[in-house]
Amino acid sequence: MPEPFDWDILQRPSAMAMVRGQLGFSWMVLSGRLAALTDEEYFWRPSSEALTVVRRQYAGRFRSLGTGEWVAQWPDEPDHRGPRTIAWLIAHLTETFFERWEWTFGESRQGRADITLHGNARDAVAWLAHWVDAWQQSIADLDEQQVMTVGLSQATELDAGEPFGHVILRLNRELIHHGSEIMTLQDLHALAA
């Protein structure tokens, strides 16, 4: 269960408080919706071509992201525009927060390909919550100067070349963007049922 949102952060006059407030509020909204996510919604395909999470042997023509039995189908094109399932979106958010945490606050050994993915909604949501919470707690411990440190995260070449605050904002955007997709898919699934 995520920590309750700290409403007092909205009264703190700093850029970092605004960034943390945006992340915390966005996660509160999304995690509230994910709390009731069913396996049927998790795997629902809005199209037969939708990227999803599958057992490794069923990855098909796509690359596989993940180390265990369950993997995300990963397209070759960086801006693949095809539809995605909630399972895929949760996997993507999980690997994004995992990799950034690992290469900023962790041992800097594992990357997105080393993530463990899950074949059910409950465990997938818990794993995402774990990494979002770890990220939130770790950035909460930074002071304003550390947030401006170029290369604090070494997860990607882009991260290594910019002030860390931009990395935080990018992850906020990822959560907001893909969280909106997840909630839209939940709404569409409800209409299709």
Side-chain angles (χ1 to χ4, degrees), residues 2-185:
E3 293 288 317
F5 182 66
D6 175 12
W7 290 97
D8 291 338
I9 203 166
L10 302 179
Q11 304 304 316
R12 296 185 199 137
S14 76
M16 195 56 190
M18 289 183 250
V19 169
R20 288 180 49 219
Q22 181 186 54
L23 174 61
F25 186 83
S26 300
W27 177 237
M28 178 188 72
V29 171
L30 178 57
S31 63
R33 289 287 294 266
L34 292 175
L37 184 69
T38 66
D39 287 347
E40 185 179 330
E41 289 173 302
Y42 180 68
F43 283 118
W44 180 67
R45 288 180 174 232
S47 154
S48 62
E49 296 297 311
L51 296 173
T52 192
V53 171
V54 296
R55 285 193 165 89
R56 182 173 298 282
Q57 66 266 31
Y58 300 116
R61 68 182 192 275
F62 299 103
R63 294 180 291 141
S64 299
L65 177 82
T67 60
E69 175 186 3
W70 292 91
V71 297
Q73 296 174 314
W74 209 258
D76 289 325
E77 319 86 64
D79 289 330
H80 180 77
R81 299 279 186 226
R84 298 162 297 202
T85 64
I86 292 174
W88 191 92
L89 292 163
I90 288 174
H92 174 52
L93 284 171
T94 303
E95 59 88 4
T96 298
F97 279 92
F98 160 74
E99 184 177 53
R100 289 322 189 293
W101 185 90
E102 170 71 11
W103 284 86
T104 308
F105 306 107
E107 296 179 7
S108 302
R109 291 182 316 127
Q110 297 183 313
R112 66 179 37 178
D114 300 310
I115 192 75
T116 300
L117 301 177
H118 300 280
N120 67 75
R122 185 194 71 228
D123 292 339
V125 169
W127 198 225
L128 173 60
H130 171 80
W131 290 112
V132 172
D133 292 344
W135 179 256
Q136 285 184 300
Q137 291 169 12
S138 295
I139 65 170
D141 292 337
L142 297 176
D143 62 38
E144 298 281 335
Q145 182 144 348
Q146 289 171 301
V147 173
M148 295 304 163
T149 302
V150 173
L152 184 63
S153 174
Q154 296 291 311
T156 68
E157 192 175 311
L158 180 61
D159 291 6
E162 64 187 2
F164 184 62
H166 288 291
V167 176
I168 298 170
L169 287 170
R170 192 165 53 257
L171 264 64
N172 285 7
R173 288 191 305 268
E174 285 286 301
L175 185 72
I176 293 166
H177 171 135
H178 295 306
S180 297
E181 288 181 284
I182 289 168
M183 291 185 284
T184 299
L185 285 170

